[in-house]
Amino acid sequence: MDSGSDAPPLTPAGRRIVDAAEELFYERGITAVGVDLIAERSGVTKRTLYNRFGSKDSLVAACLAERDRRWRAEVRAVVDASGSAEEAVTAPFEALRSWTSAYTRGCAFLNALAELPDPRHPGHRVAADQKRWLRDLFEELATAAGCRGPSALATRLFVLHEGAVATEPLALGSVTAAGDLARELVRAASRG
């Protein structure tokens, strides 16, 4: 999935609905939030919500796609600002550092995957695509940096990244520790 880039631009009411729903889903959980609350919080009628999104499932997917768009932009900005190809490989960990300072309730995509286990659910598909994108990005960056075994390294970095984001709410310094370990892994894979 292209993180919602093929969706039509949101109207002001559609933007309010997505913003309210995304906040509520993240704070309370997807299954715990009903469309009545989303409509109330966004200042629209349920009819407007359904006219724009068709279903709660489609709204969930739209919210996750919007979050995915922001996350990818954040990661790409840090990758682009990296001083070297080797540094770029661990850029997603640097992006995660700033991201988790704003989002303290864990990963919305991991949460969605846990709440929406059916792979046919549109929200599940967005969350799974986001995870595949990140793993593939690690491989792309590792290949560009000339790292040995870029596919295996990408999988290790991805697992490390996901573990950091999942445990960061415990205030253990997981993101910092994972970033340090990621740099060690990349240095080891870069030695000739």
Side-chain angles (χ1 to χ4, degrees), residues 135-185:
R135 193 259 168 230
D136 292 348
L137 178 65
F138 278 125
E139 184 170 0
E140 172 190 320
L141 296 170
T143 300
C147 295
R148 286 187 322 274
S151 181
L153 176 61
T155 299
R156 289 181 182 121
L157 293 173
F158 174 72
V159 169
L160 185 59
H161 187 278
E162 294 306 294
V165 73
T167 58
E168 185 62 15
L170 299 174
L172 301 172
S174 301
V175 171
T176 299
D180 293 344
L181 183 54
R183 283 185 287 283
E184 289 177 28
L185 289 170

Side-chain angles (χ1 to χ4, degrees), residues 23 45 48 68 72 153 191:
E23 183 178 319
T45 64
T48 298
D68 183 27
R72 290 182 194 211
L153 176 61
R191 293 187 190 121

Side-chain angles (χ1 to χ4, degrees), residues 103-158:
Y103 299 106
T104 58
R105 295 183 58 84
C107 177
F109 303 104
L110 289 176
N111 297 345
L113 290 169
E115 282 195 73
L116 309 169
D118 183 350
R120 295 170 300 183
H121 189 288
H124 180 101
R125 287 193 304 265
V126 173
D129 286 347
Q130 186 275 334
K131 296 305 178 189
R132 282 189 285 273
W133 171 82
L134 183 59
R135 193 259 168 230
D136 292 348
L137 178 65
F138 278 125
E139 184 170 0
E140 172 190 320
L141 296 170
T143 300
C147 295
R148 286 187 322 274
S151 181
L153 176 61
T155 299
R156 289 181 182 121
L157 293 173
F158 174 72

Side-chain angles (χ1 to χ4, degrees), residues 46-124:
K46 280 187 359 182
R47 181 178 177 163
T48 298
L49 187 151
Y50 283 116
N51 283 341
R52 174 56 184 98
F53 296 98
S55 67
K56 180 182 172 185
D57 290 350
S58 294
L59 176 57
V60 168
C63 291
L64 289 169
E66 176 62 21
R67 191 178 202 91
D68 183 27
R69 183 197 60 74
R70 289 193 316 270
W71 168 244
R72 290 182 194 211
E74 175 99 12
V75 171
R76 283 288 179 197
V78 178
V79 167
D80 292 347
S82 298
S84 68
E86 187 177 296
E87 188 179 298
V89 180
T90 59
F93 290 90
E94 294 308 312
L96 186 60
R97 185 185 316 275
S98 64
W99 188 266
T100 55
S101 69
Y103 299 106
T104 58
R105 295 183 58 84
C107 177
F109 303 104
L110 289 176
N111 297 345
L113 290 169
E115 282 195 73
L116 309 169
D118 183 350
R120 295 170 300 183
H121 189 288
H124 180 101

